[in-house]
Amino acid sequence: MRGVGGPTVRLRRLSGELTRLRREAGFVREEVARRLGVAVSTVYRIEAGHTRPHTRTIRDLLDLYGVEGSERDALIALARDAARRGWWRAYDDVLPGPYVGLEAEASSVRNYEPLLVPGLLQTEDYARAVIGAALVKDPAEIERRAAARMERQRRLTGPAPLELWAVLDEAALRRPVGGPPVMAEQLRRLREMAVQPNVTVQVLPFDAGAYLGMGNSTAILAFPDPGDADVVLLENMSGELYLEDPAEIRGYVQVFDHLRAAALGPEKSMEMIISVEKEMAGR
């Protein structure tokens, strides 16, 4: 049993192991729920990694699946480690879903954004403007969401920094989110971050025309342990969709490679960012 990773990755690993053990034991979820005296939805949430089972539930599941010895001890330890609280738990009220926990434990993120600067590269004022435009009107909630976004950015500095490769449509540079002064500051931040050794920024210019993958925001997360499969996040107005099927992930990796090829190179992208920054500063 691999022993690395933070609580979100470990919960994901635990859910995968429990799903495998159930299938190998020949049970369907309905039978497991009946034998344990729980709802079928509870079994589903455990196997989907949406909830960490209590120690008693883990032991009951392992008893049912006939798991003993070192494998049993490793799974119980894995469940215990999955209960550790990451920094993002302090923001559970404004950070629903697993994305931030996964990002905090990832080794790299490949991010395509058609309309906005990626959250990992946003300034506080830009972030406030984006959050306020998303039907969040409570000033206190806007501040908490912006603070959480700034906290996420710590992954880009320090030891073992996150590798970020961001491809932005030109529209993300030219839309004056928060007004021209805020946008000029944002573009300056983007320019400063783009020269960091672990950050690559490319821009897809308008004159590229239509391109493969244009539309919804996409993030591909990879993890330090090669045994932990990549995750793809798709965002749209309906919410977040997570993909873990290897074939689907390969498809989105190919799409991202097409986006990188269609975009301006990092140096030409920097020239465009500087040019648009000057335009915003002059308004």
Side-chain angles (χ1 to χ4, degrees):
M1 186 73 62
R2 302 184 304 278
V4 299
T8 303
V9 167
R10 292 191 181 204
L11 179 60
R12 180 172 171 240
R13 191 178 300 155
L14 176 66
S15 67
E17 293 290 336
L18 292 174
T19 302
R20 176 184 63 81
L21 289 168
R22 173 180 60 78
R23 290 171 176 166
E24 290 179 354
F27 291 107
V28 295
R29 288 182 181 139
E30 289 76 9
E31 176 68 5
V32 172
R34 187 184 67 78
R35 294 206 180 199
L36 267 62
V38 299
V40 176
S41 61
T42 299
V43 179
Y44 169 79
R45 287 179 60 80
I46 290 172
E47 293 189 353
H50 294 165
T51 186
R52 185 189 69 84
H54 296 298
T55 302
R56 175 60 185 274
T57 304
I58 283 286
R59 294 183 187 278
D60 289 345
L61 286 168
L62 298 180
D63 287 342
L64 180 61
Y65 302 153
V67 181
E68 300 177 344
S70 60
E71 184 178 15
R72 180 187 183 91
D73 293 340
L75 285 166
I76 291 173
L78 186 61
R80 187 183 307 115
D81 290 339
R84 291 190 290 112
R85 289 178 61 84
W87 67 263
W88 55 92
R89 294 300 183 191
Y91 295 93
D92 274 352
D93 57 321
V94 295
L95 292 177
Y99 180 78
V100 173
L102 290 169
E103 181 188 81
E105 298 162 19
S107 57
S108 70
V109 175
R110 284 164 284 183
N111 191 186
Y112 161 65
E113 292 289 347
L115 297 174
L116 297 171
V117 172
L120 285 169
L121 300 174
Q122 292 178 6
T123 65
E124 283 194 74
D125 286 340
Y126 183 97
R128 290 188 186 101
V130 171
I131 295 164
L135 302 180
V136 178
K137 302 306 177 186
D138 178 11
E141 182 177 349
I142 291 174
E143 288 303 313
R144 278 186 58 72
R145 286 177 179 267
R149 198 160 296 184
M150 297 305 104
E151 190 70 27
R152 285 171 54 197
Q153 296 177 6
R154 293 179 181 271
R155 278 301 326 276
L156 294 174
T157 58
L162 179 71
E163 297 283 339
L164 173 63
W165 196 309
V167 177
L168 288 66
D169 192 284
E170 185 177 344
L173 305 185
R174 295 195 176 278
R175 184 177 301 278
V177 173
V182 169
M183 196 64 204
E185 179 190 20
Q186 174 59 72
L187 292 171
R188 185 160 53 252
R189 167 71 66 80
L190 187 61
R191 172 168 53 83
E192 292 168 354
M193 292 303 300
V195 299
Q196 300 303 311
N198 58 309
V199 178
T200 301
V201 175
Q202 290 183 262
V203 178
L204 266 159
F206 288 149
D207 60 16
Y211 53 84
L212 180 66
M214 65 186 301
N216 295 333
S217 172
T218 304
I220 305 169
L221 288 77
F223 301 91
D225 190 321
D228 290 319
D230 293 357
V231 176
V232 171
L233 166 68
L234 305 177
E235 288 187 278
N236 55 40
M237 288 296 292
S238 300
E240 299 177 345
L241 174 64
Y242 294 87
L243 305 178
E244 299 185 57
D245 180 82
E248 290 180 316
I249 291 171
R250 284 195 297 271
Y252 278 96
V253 168
Q254 291 174 352
V255 169
F256 191 81
D257 288 342
H258 279 286
L259 291 170
R260 291 191 300 183
L264 299 173
E267 291 186 4
K268 290 292 185 181
S269 296
M270 179 70 78
E271 292 175 6
M272 177 173 284
I273 293 169
I274 292 171
S275 175
V276 180
E277 178 192 341
K278 289 178 180 178
E279 292 177 22
M280 293 290 174
R283 289 192 185 181

